[in-house]
Each structure stands twice: as C-alpha cells, then as structure tokens.
Amino acid sequence: MASHSASRPAGPAHPSAASAASSAPAAASSVSASVSASVSASVSASVVARLRAAGCVFAEEEAELLVSAARSAGELDAMVGQRAAGRPLEHVVGWAGFRGLRIAVDDGVFVPRRRTEFLVERAEELARPGAVVVDLCCGSGALGAALVAAVDGAELHAADIDPAAVRCARRNIAAAGGRVHEGDLYAPLPRDLRGRVDVLLANVPYVPTGEVELLPAEARVHEARVALDGGLDGLDVLRRVAAEAAAWLAPGGSLLFETSERQAGAATRITAAGGLTPRVVHCEDRYATVVIATRRQEP
C-alpha cells in the first residue's frame, strides 16, 4: 500500500533536533505516523474519486475496504480498476461480511446478500443445540456457516451443483466442522439424514428466466446463472425442494427460503402441497421475504 512507503528522515534537520530525538523517541514515532496517515488519506481520496467516477454509490466505504485489502500500491491500482470496471467488490477483495463472519467468495460464486441475514436469524430462532442443519443451493456456504456459528453442537451438511461454489463453500464450512457435497439438491446428501433434518436452509434461485437479463451487471455477468435463474416463474427449483422436503425433515423441522413478496403466495401453496405448514415473515428494513414451512409433529 502507498501508506507503507512513507519513511522516516535519515537524521535530524538541525542540531537541536538530535537531543529532542534521543530524549523523546515517541515524538519521532508520532511524526512518522502522521506522515503515513497523510499519505494514506491522499491515496484513499484518489480511490474514492475513481470509484465515484465509475458510478459506485458507496465509494467511501468501498475505498476503505480496497485500501485495507491491498498489499501494495500496484495491487491497489489493479483492484480499483477491477471494481471500476464492474466486478463485484466481494470478488475483488475475496470475501463478504455476513452476520459478523468473513465469508470467502471466489470468482463466479454467488455473493451472499445482507438481506439474507434475516433468513438466518429466523432459522436461529428454530435451531436447538445439536440441531441437524442442511444448506441446499449453498453457494459460498454463508448461510450454513453463520447458523452453526450461533448454535452449539450443530451438525452441518451443505450441497450445491456448481463445482466452483462447492470449492468455495468447503473453505468456509470446514471451520464450522461441516461437510459440503457436490450434486443436485438432495441427491449428494448422506441417506441417513432423511427424516433427521431440523433446519433446512434453501437459498434457491427465484428470479424468473425472463428477468435475469434485467439484473444488475454485477450479478448477471459475474455470478453463475444457475444461482440466479429460477425458471419460467422463478419457482421451479423451489418446487423440487418442496416436493422432497417432508421426507428429509424431522417431525417439527422447518424449511426456510427467501423469495420475493409477489411470489410469496405461490411459494406457500407449493410448500403446502408438499405436506408442510407455511408462514411468511418480512423485514421491511432489508426488503426480505422469507417462507418458513414446517413439517407437522407426529401424533
């Protein structure tokens, strides 16, 4: 980083400075820190200006992240160039903040959205210590990792059909003691999980095929289509998840997924047809709509 290139003067500027330096080394350190801070502020201002010119709405916050992530002036220049060209910030720095965790996010992998923290919060309310948690369509594994970080002794399994997402999720979920499986929805999961899952997280794609091209370029160009495209009405993947959910859930276990407000009615009908009891919860501050569909307790 440019701020690291500022150096202290080789010697005192005039004779009286020698005794001052020997008797007060803290003062010299303070001067050096001040110079370094000044250079850093100049660099940050330049980065902010470049990001603003590229149309970044949160230029100041993004500049701070880029400056702190870069290990040299050259790397910072390259990172700012990538961001200005439209690459998602999370892909540029290699991680996303999610519920207080730093989640690794590789190129092409779906970036966890802050609104989806609302889903994890609702799941945390339902998960007991030792809960069995499955994270379908896991992407980076952010949802599962965040949930088990808050639930003592949870057993975590995650799955995704995208090999790049699986590689990324393994980095994030290994620290939580979980396992990541590669394959289509339930297909790669261990069979002994059937009927045992307490919390089933499914961050299914729900953008209708005809609307994918209307998404911001950050998503449309840089994230895998399989993580975005939910089929003709945006609910195709959900239908498949809901059709088998009751067989995997433990009695009283719940499926939780995010959808849009306009799709919520259809989504609840789909889960009800699968034998679950759905309810819809909203967070207006985060523009989040979550369906919680629960398997009935056995008599």
Side-chain angles (χ1 to χ4, degrees), residues 34-282:
S34 177
V35 171
S36 179
S38 175
V39 172
S40 179
S42 174
V43 170
S44 295
S46 173
V47 171
V48 169
R50 288 178 65 185
L51 294 177
R52 279 181 178 160
C56 297
V57 176
F58 302 104
E60 289 81 2
E61 292 85 347
E62 295 193 10
E64 183 177 351
L65 282 172
L66 291 170
V67 170
S68 65
R71 292 164 294 185
S72 68
E75 185 176 40
L76 177 60
D77 182 66
M79 293 171 77
V80 175
Q82 293 168 22
R83 180 62 186 131
R87 188 180 177 199
L89 176 67
E90 295 83 359
H91 289 164
V92 175
V93 299
W95 61 273
F98 191 81
R99 291 210 81 212
L101 301 179
R102 180 174 287 202
I103 300 294
V105 183
D106 296 336
D107 284 344
V109 175
F110 185 82
V111 176
R113 281 31 170 185
R114 286 297 178 90
R115 66 170 177 269
T116 309
E117 293 180 344
F118 178 66
L119 185 155
V120 177
E121 290 162 9
R122 303 290 71 75
E124 185 181 344
E125 295 171 350
L126 301 171
R128 55 176 174 75
V132 176
V133 176
V134 168
D135 184 359
L136 287 186
C137 306
C138 70
S140 65
L143 278 65
L147 179 57
V148 300
V151 179
D152 292 338
E155 176 185 347
L156 173 61
H157 293 264
D160 203 289
I161 197 170
D162 180 9
V166 169
R167 289 192 296 270
C168 185
R170 284 179 175 150
R171 292 163 56 199
N172 291 314
I173 285 178
R179 295 172 57 192
V180 183
H181 312 273
E182 183 178 337
D184 188 21
L185 299 180
Y186 302 100
L189 295 176
R191 297 295 99 181
D192 63 2
L193 289 177
R194 289 176 66 91
R196 293 181 49 232
V197 178
D198 299 299
V199 177
L200 176 56
L201 307 169
N203 200 18
V204 295
Y206 57 90
V207 179
T209 300
E211 297 179 19
V212 171
E213 293 305 315
L214 303 178
L215 291 173
E218 287 188 16
R220 175 171 40 82
V221 175
H222 296 279
E223 294 178 329
R225 176 108 183 190
V226 71
L228 303 170
D229 191 340
L232 187 62
D233 64 353
L235 300 172
D236 282 358
V237 181
L238 172 62
R239 289 186 179 91
R240 297 178 56 216
V241 170
E244 294 189 54
W248 289 86
L249 289 170
S254 295
L255 161 67
L256 297 93
F257 60 91
E258 189 176 87
T259 189
S260 70
E261 190 169 358
R262 66 184 171 92
Q263 293 167 310
T268 58
R269 290 190 292 274
I270 289 169
T271 54
L276 305 177
T277 302
R279 59 188 175 95
V280 182
V281 290
H282 303 278

